[in-house]
């Protein structure tokens, strides 16, 4: 009897140990660990630059081809849109199709197609010029105690709400991850952050939770063109004003290795250099006031932080986009810029493959 009990215990311990071994094989430790070895974590940074964001898609194609896994993503302005969709699970081929197929002028400027052939018209309290909304009237508050002598007050002349782009982003994010509002952007297939600026305090804001499409829209809210996005007590505008290449953000997220895609052309070496000549409204409105701010958004982000971030990236990719404007959304230009981004990344193919070997161990 004693021998039978001893044999039963031995068999039980053996089965338990075998089951534990099988469980560990089927469910290896998270965080890229294999046994006691952990691979380096990779962060990808998407810089701002309007239409030139198409080049980021070309760069992504080569990064995917090199077999480099991405663990963290951060983006600013157009980089927030590209990065946010990439973090949501869309690959470079899907984003290539998105960039080439969209009518970006209609999408970004809330253009109303049914009145685009009319020079000026007014519908539902909105004034349109060639289909573009330039003036909206605010409806009276339903909680008002007394009728106001002027029940409708205009707000924000020329401010674009960005309804079209938010609707597109919402449908894409929901289709990919099941919902557009998240308690944390760490819930995405790849953890994500995007950068905006609080217009009330002129401080950088790192968006890490909430409505993802609205966060991406806030990051690209160019002052004077797009209406700021209200979140709590903050009015959020384009993050490029303070941090156009958020390498520091993915570093804080936990990245050991950072790949940065910078769309800047003049690298801010010349204090007098800017992109004003490439903007269609520059000759009309002059360099001062709100249009001067728009110029600065694209050509003069915070110089000190930009310099630190561009220098601290482990792999810095800067497509040659000289001659392309931030507003150049024609399909031909989009296609050319995607190709330029791919060519820029291919010039660093050797470094990318070395990085892939270092990360993947093969």
């Amino acid at each position: 009897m004693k021998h039978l009990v001893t044999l039963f215990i031995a068999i039980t311990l053996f089965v338990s140990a075998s089951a534990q071994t099988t469980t560990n094989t089927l469910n290896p430790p998270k965080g890229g660990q294999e046994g006691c070895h952990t691979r380096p974590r990779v962060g990808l940074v998407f810089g701002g630059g309007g239409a030139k964001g198409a080049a980021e898609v070309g760069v992504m194609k080569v990064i995917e081809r090199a077999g480099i896994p991405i663990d963290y993503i951060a983006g600013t302005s157009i980089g927030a849109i590209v990065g946010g969709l990439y973090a949501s699970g869309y690959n470079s081929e899907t984003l290539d199709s998105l960039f080439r197929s969209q009518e970006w002028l209609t999408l970004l400027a809330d253009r109303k197609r049914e009145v685009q052939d009319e020079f000026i018209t007014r519908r539902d309290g909105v004034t349109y010029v060639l289909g573009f909304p330039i003036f909206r009237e605010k409806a009276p508050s339903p909680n008002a105690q007394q009728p106001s002598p002027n029940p409708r007050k205009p707000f924000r002349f020329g401010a674009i709400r960005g309804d079209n782009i938010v609707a597109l982003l919402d449908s894409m994010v929901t289709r990919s991850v099941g919902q557009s509002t998240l308690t944390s952007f760490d819930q995405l297939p790849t953890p994500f952050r995007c950068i905006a600026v609080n217009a009330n305090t002129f401080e950088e804001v790192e968006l890490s939770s909430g409505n993802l499409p609205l966060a991406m829209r806030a990051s690209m809210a160019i002052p004077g063109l797009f209406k700021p996005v209200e979140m709590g007590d903050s009015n959020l505008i384009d993050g490029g004003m303070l941090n156009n290449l958020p390498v520091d953000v993915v570093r804080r997220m936990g990245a050991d290795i950072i790949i940065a895609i910078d769309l800047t052309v003049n690298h801010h070496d010349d204090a007098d250099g800017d992109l004003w000549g490439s903007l269609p409204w520059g000759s009309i409105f002059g360099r001062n006031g709100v249009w001067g701010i728009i110029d600065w958004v694209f050509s003069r982000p915070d110089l000190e932080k930009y310099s630190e971030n561009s220098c601290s990236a482990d792999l810095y990719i800067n497509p040659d986009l000289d001659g392309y404007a931030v507003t150049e959304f024609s399909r031909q230009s989009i296609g050319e810029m995607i190709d330029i981004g791919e060519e820029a990344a291919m010039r660093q193919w050797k470094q990318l493959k070395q990085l892939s070997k270092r990360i993947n161990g093969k």
Side-chain angles (χ1 to χ4, degrees), residues 64-132:
E64 290 175 357
R65 202 176 302 151
I68 297 175
I70 303 300
D71 301 290
Y72 308 103
I73 294 174
T76 298
S77 198
I78 190 66
I81 292 178
V82 178
L85 292 175
Y86 200 47
S88 297
Y90 290 96
N91 62 22
S92 61
E93 289 302 322
T94 304
L95 295 179
D96 179 292
S97 298
L98 174 70
F99 262 88
R100 293 178 190 270
S101 64
Q102 288 299 319
E103 293 184 18
W104 286 96
L105 199 58
T106 297
L107 186 66
L108 293 174
D110 287 344
R111 193 176 196 183
K112 202 174 186 68
R113 292 181 179 179
E114 50 266 44
V115 294
Q116 66 183 16
D117 295 327
E118 300 179 35
F119 180 72
I120 186 167
T121 188
R122 185 171 177 273
R123 290 193 182 185
D124 301 322
V126 181
T127 301
Y128 297 91
V129 172
L130 297 176
F132 296 103

Side-chain angles (χ1 to χ4, degrees), residues 55 58-63 65-66 261-262 264 267 315-322 324 336-354:
V59 174
M60 288 156 52
K61 289 183 180 182
V62 180
I63 291 175
R65 202 176 302 151
I261 309 173
D262 185 11
T264 304
H267 299 87
L315 186 59
Y316 174 81
I317 300 176
N318 181 218
D320 183 5
L321 297 167
D322 189 20
Y324 290 91
E336 291 172 353
M337 288 187 283
I338 290 175
D339 292 341
I340 289 172
E342 188 170 358
E343 292 165 4
M346 284 303 299
R347 284 195 292 271
Q348 300 196 46
W349 177 252
K350 182 178 179 181
Q351 295 94 315
L352 285 167
K353 288 301 292 182
Q354 289 174 343

Side-chain angles (χ1 to χ4, degrees), residues 135-263:
F135 185 81
R136 300 177 188 270
E137 291 182 343
K138 191 174 182 180
S141 171
N143 299 320
Q145 298 295 320
Q146 299 178 4
S148 167
N150 182 19
R152 293 183 164 221
K153 294 183 179 180
F155 71 96
R156 201 73 65 178
F157 182 87
I160 299 169
R161 293 192 306 192
D163 295 339
N164 291 350
I165 186 68
V166 170
L168 173 66
L169 295 175
D170 187 83
S171 66
M172 293 187 69
V173 171
T174 302
R175 189 182 311 129
S176 178
V177 300
Q179 57 184 342
S180 58
T181 299
L182 306 164
T183 54
S184 171
F185 294 163
D186 289 343
Q187 296 174 270
L188 294 168
T190 305
F192 173 69
R193 301 289 184 271
C194 62
I195 309 304
V197 170
N198 185 353
N200 300 337
T201 62
F202 208 71
E203 293 176 335
E204 181 180 334
V205 178
E206 183 180 315
L207 299 171
S208 59
S209 63
N211 186 285
L212 178 58
L214 204 58
M216 291 189 277
R217 154 72 174 85
S219 184
M220 54 153 283
I222 305 168
L225 284 184
F226 287 92
K227 182 182 178 183
V229 172
E230 295 183 17
M231 289 190 181
D233 296 329
S234 301
N235 287 297
L236 302 180
I237 56 177
D238 197 301
M241 298 188 74
L242 293 180
N243 194 353
N244 205 41
L245 193 69
V247 171
D248 55 322
V249 174
V250 289
R251 187 78 71 186
R252 287 196 300 270
M253 291 174 73
D256 303 303
I257 298 171
I258 296 177
I259 302 172
I261 309 173
D262 185 11
L263 304 177

